[in-house]
Amino acid sequence: MLLSLLLHSYSLRYVLPAAVMVGVAPTYVLAWGTWRLLSALLPARFYHQVDDRLYLLYQSMVLFFFENYTCVQIILYGNLPKTKENVVCISNHQCTVDWVIANMLAIRQNALGHVRYVLKIGLKWLPLYGWYFYEHGGIYVHRSARFNEKEMKSKLQAQTEAKTPMHLIIFPEGTRYDPEKPKTIADSQAYAEQEGLTVLKHVLTPRVKATHVAIDSLRNYLDAVYDITIAFEGTVDHKGERTAPPAMTDFLCKTCPRIHIYVDRIELKDIPKEQKCMKRWLHERFEIKDKLLTEFYDAKNSKRRNKFPGKCVHSKLSLKKTLPSLLFLSTLTAIMLLSESGRKLYVKTWLYGTLFGWLTVSIKI
């Protein structure tokens, strides 16, 4: 009985972080919405400057839980610059924690407020968040032939005209690589074979459309492209086979001891402009990822497993970067919930903010 209770308590370790991260959403959206209205008559760059600071505030709080609370070790390889740049980041995609890892890299460059994502269209239905991510510069795309190239170019152009700092995250695989979904992996490998491309083992065959539009639209605005490869330690079973990476709830329960992140900074001059040539280039980049991950998971020499080649740095995030945001947003939310009028506003923000957000994004997309 006691053991069962302890196991149940352990499984609930994600409840507090989840409650706080979701619970402060109405407070945050109200603050952002107020600024959105006040800045309506100002040049777009003023809106984006404050919006980026607000986004930094919220995402710093998120990283308190995903780094300081979980005590996960972040191990960096490659050449991540210490200062922020305008970049497109292309990354392998395994689980719902991947977007948080993009934040982990950005905060180490003081670029966390500038992070924007290319997102699958279904995420627009997230209550409050789906609307806000779009307004912050997120781009919703269809995976299929319904991909709207014109809309994506238009949104990127609007942000460059406003001189918005750009840290754009793209997952070119389009969906997650999950060892527990062998059909998805098999379909991806069949597509590669059909297209005359190298069949990949540890990543899916990348799709080029969103990556090409992003780099092509921002080429004169970018400093570089970051090629990011992520590996979660502890995701191999006793037979040496890959298992599913941690979901967000698993991660917050501290099931992942270390994350290994390899960053390769690529100059724009080394990236082809034509889509057909870029498709080949992108696949070659994922071949490199596949070799890195094969070494990480399958190296015959056990001493070479669970790490990428080359020098590494154990990067620990200071509480000074995250705790103030947690305290500030939690305090504001607590004050709001102490009064009856505050609680009513809180509930109405969840309800009407979500409905208005769905309507707004649906009309714009």
Side-chain angles (χ1 to χ4, degrees), residues 6-229:
L6 288 172
L7 289 172
H8 182 66
S9 299
Y10 180 82
S11 70
L12 294 178
R13 295 177 78 169
Y14 68 87
V15 172
L16 174 62
V20 174
M21 287 187 285
V22 174
V24 303
T27 311
Y28 180 82
V29 168
L30 282 171
W32 165 74
T34 301
W35 169 242
R36 186 67 164 150
L37 291 172
L38 292 174
S39 64
L41 299 178
L42 299 175
R45 66 178 181 276
F46 292 112
Y47 162 70
H48 287 299
Q49 286 172 2
V50 176
D51 177 47
D52 281 7
R53 284 172 172 77
L54 288 172
Y55 190 77
L56 168 64
L57 179 72
Y58 181 82
Q59 295 299 345
S60 296
M61 179 202 68
V62 170
L63 288 181
F64 168 82
F65 291 111
F66 279 92
E67 288 209 50
N68 302 121
Y69 175 82
T70 62
C71 299
V72 66
Q73 292 184 37
I74 306 301
I75 305 173
L76 299 178
Y77 305 75
N79 51 347
L80 179 71
K82 293 182 179 180
T83 55
K84 60 185 174 183
E85 300 181 290
N86 287 324
V87 295
V88 167
C89 302
I90 55 174
S91 174
N92 61 316
H93 192 20
Q94 303 166 80
C95 65
T96 51
V97 181
D98 291 337
W99 68 273
V100 180
I101 294 173
N103 288 350
M104 292 175 177
L105 291 175
I107 199 171
R108 286 163 170 80
Q109 294 182 289
N110 294 316
L112 182 56
H114 311 321
V115 170
R116 291 160 177 88
Y117 298 92
V118 175
L119 304 156
K120 62 183 180 181
I121 193 70
L123 292 175
K124 74 177 185 179
W125 300 112
L126 286 172
L128 296 183
Y129 294 99
W131 175 33
Y132 176 69
F133 284 148
Y134 180 82
E135 293 294 333
H136 181 66
I139 300 169
Y140 290 110
V141 297
H142 293 274
R143 297 175 186 165
S144 62
R146 295 174 62 196
F147 174 77
N148 192 329
E149 181 177 330
K150 184 178 179 181
E151 182 188 342
M152 184 174 179
K153 282 185 175 180
S154 175
K155 187 154 191 180
L156 290 171
Q157 184 178 356
Q159 293 184 67
T160 57
E161 288 174 353
K163 300 188 184 303
T164 308
M166 184 63 61
H167 201 100
L168 184 67
I169 313 299
I170 302 176
F171 300 106
E173 291 160 284
T175 191
R176 296 190 291 269
Y177 177 99
D178 187 345
E180 295 182 354
K181 295 181 178 179
K183 185 180 184 305
T184 300
I185 297 172
D187 289 346
S188 175
Q189 292 174 340
Y191 172 78
E193 191 170 0
Q194 177 185 326
E195 293 292 310
L197 301 168
T198 302
V199 174
L200 307 172
K201 180 182 178 183
H202 287 289
V203 290
L204 302 178
T205 305
R207 305 303 174 103
V208 74
K209 285 184 179 178
T211 304
H212 177 259
V213 171
I215 296 176
D216 183 59
S217 301
L218 299 170
R219 187 173 287 270
N220 295 326
Y221 195 70
L222 297 175
D223 296 302
V225 169
Y226 294 170
D227 185 0
I228 300 166
T229 305

Side-chain angles (χ1 to χ4, degrees), residues 92 173 177 185 189 198-206 227-230 242 282-299 308:
N92 61 316
E173 291 160 284
Y177 177 99
I185 297 172
Q189 292 174 340
T198 302
V199 174
L200 307 172
K201 180 182 178 183
H202 287 289
V203 290
L204 302 178
T205 305
D227 185 0
I228 300 166
T229 305
I230 304 165
R242 279 186 70 177
L282 184 62
H283 196 83
E284 288 172 354
R285 295 307 311 179
F286 270 72
E287 286 181 52
I288 294 171
K289 290 180 183 297
D290 201 47
K291 289 176 182 176
L292 286 170
L293 292 168
T294 298
E295 185 80 2
F296 187 92
Y297 293 113
D298 303 334
F308 290 130

Side-chain angles (χ1 to χ4, degrees), residues 249-313:
T249 52
D250 299 325
F251 196 93
L252 290 170
C253 284
K254 308 185 182 185
T255 60
C256 181
R258 283 172 288 276
I259 303 174
H260 298 255
I261 311 170
Y262 195 103
V263 181
D264 195 358
R265 184 184 184 278
I266 304 169
E267 298 284 349
L268 271 298
K269 63 181 177 60
D270 297 326
I271 302 174
K273 294 182 179 181
E274 294 183 5
Q275 181 171 316
K276 187 176 291 186
C277 296
M278 189 180 289
K279 179 179 180 180
R280 175 66 61 178
W281 170 85
L282 184 62
H283 196 83
E284 288 172 354
R285 295 307 311 179
F286 270 72
E287 286 181 52
I288 294 171
K289 290 180 183 297
D290 201 47
K291 289 176 182 176
L292 286 170
L293 292 168
T294 298
E295 185 80 2
F296 187 92
Y297 293 113
D298 303 334
K300 293 181 180 179
N301 185 341
S302 60
K303 293 182 179 180
R304 294 170 63 181
R305 286 184 215 138
N306 291 321
K307 60 183 178 181
F308 290 130
K311 294 181 179 180
C312 65
V313 175

Side-chain angles (χ1 to χ4, degrees), residues 333-356:
T333 303
I335 291 172
M336 188 176 179
L337 292 174
L338 284 175
S339 67
E340 184 178 352
S341 59
R343 289 192 291 273
K344 287 181 179 178
L345 179 60
Y346 182 89
V347 173
K348 288 179 179 178
T349 302
W350 265 119
L351 178 61
Y352 298 121
T354 296
L355 294 174
F356 181 77

